[in-house]
Each structure stands twice: as C-alpha cells, then as structure tokens.
Amino acid sequence: MLKAADILKKRKLKATAIRTKLLQSIISSEKALSHAELAEVIVQKADRVSIYRNLIVLTNAELIHKIVDQTGTARYIFNTHQHANEKIGSHPHFKCTNCDMVYCLPDLPKEYLASLSKLHLKNVTFLAEGMCQKCS
C-alpha cells in the first residue's frame, strides 16, 4: 500500500499531520472525496481553511486531481502512478451518479491537447457523468 508520508517526502513536501492524513485518506478511498468528506476523517483540530490550503498544495504538486462535478462540488482523487508524469486535466474522468466512484478515462488525443495549450488555459476539467457498470 502506498504511504502518504513517503510520497510527500519524495515530492519534497512537508509531511505535516494534516497533509499526510488528507493524502492517505484520498489514496485509500475507492471514490473521489469532497472537502466535507475529508474534513470528517481529519480527527485532529483542523479548520476548513487549513484543509482547503493543503488540498491546493497536493493538487499543485500533482499528487491529487481536483474534479468538479455537475453540482459544483469539488472532489479529490489520487493521481495514480500511471498518470504521475502527465499534467492534471490531460485525461477525462467518469463519475458514477449512483455510487460516486470516479474513474480515469483514456487520454485525450494529442492534437486536442495541443490546441488547448495554445489558449493559455489555467485549468481544464473533463468529467463525464452517468451510471457505472456495477450500478447499471
């Protein structure tokens, strides 16, 4: 099993208690978690802003993906090793509207990504929503 503290150290990030707990919770979860869900798993005293700031650090370090669903809720999922060298947002995700599972979908065509890079975008989110095979 992947250990959050080791991953943080490898990326030269401080392995604070909050950051380690957040990352370990995201790694261990079978679904993408919202800020509110992550706040529930943090047992030590941590305010909403501290959690939010650490989620930004983990996102900027490309350790997690931030995915905004159709309701406007931001959810966080671990950036698996197979995507560790890609820019976040270079592949779409699928979210099951029944069980909230989020899956990585195949990469987008390089021509499409090249056309986006010419636009100087700061953030691109690709999210398809529907029912997964287990729920349908």
Side-chain angles (χ1 to χ4, degrees), residues 89-91 107-118 124 126:
S90 66
H91 64 275
D107 293 340
L108 294 168
K110 289 182 182 182
E111 305 82 40
Y112 184 79
L113 293 173
S115 68
L116 290 179
S117 68
K118 295 174 188 172
V124 179
F126 298 95

Side-chain angles (χ1 to χ4, degrees), residues 26-94:
I26 293 168
I27 290 169
S28 302
S29 179
E30 293 184 1
K31 66 175 192 164
L33 298 170
S34 67
H35 179 282
E37 291 168 325
L38 287 164
E40 288 178 16
V41 300
I42 303 295
V43 276
Q44 75 235 31
K45 293 181 181 179
D47 59 53
R48 293 172 7 113
V49 176
S50 295
I51 294 170
Y52 180 72
R53 285 182 184 151
N54 280 285
L55 288 171
I56 290 172
V57 169
L58 296 174
T59 301
N60 289 343
E62 298 185 355
L63 292 173
I64 61 174
H65 293 284
K66 177 182 177 183
I67 302 164
V68 180
D69 65 18
Q70 207 169 25
T71 66
T73 302
R75 296 185 176 277
Y76 301 89
I77 188 169
F78 184 62
N79 186 14
T80 60
H81 288 291
Q82 62 188 349
H83 300 300
N85 295 322
E86 296 178 16
K87 288 185 178 179
I88 290 179
S90 66
H91 64 275
H93 295 89
F94 173 81

Side-chain angles (χ1 to χ4, degrees), residues 2-10 13 15 20 23-24 27:
L2 297 171
K3 298 210 180 214
D6 295 337
I7 294 168
L8 290 167
K9 288 174 187 172
K10 194 176 206 181
L13 295 172
T20 303
L23 185 57
Q24 195 63 56
I27 290 169

Side-chain angles (χ1 to χ4, degrees), residues 84-133:
N85 295 322
E86 296 178 16
K87 288 185 178 179
I88 290 179
S90 66
H91 64 275
H93 295 89
F94 173 81
K95 177 184 175 257
C96 178
T97 54
N98 188 52
C99 68
D100 287 333
M101 291 289 288
V102 176
Y103 305 94
C104 292
L105 295 174
D107 293 340
L108 294 168
K110 289 182 182 182
E111 305 82 40
Y112 184 79
L113 293 173
S115 68
L116 290 179
S117 68
K118 295 174 188 172
L119 300 174
H120 306 286
L121 299 172
K122 290 185 179 185
N123 184 31
V124 179
T125 304
F126 298 95
L127 179 67
E129 292 184 300
M131 295 262 286
C132 69
Q133 289 180 344

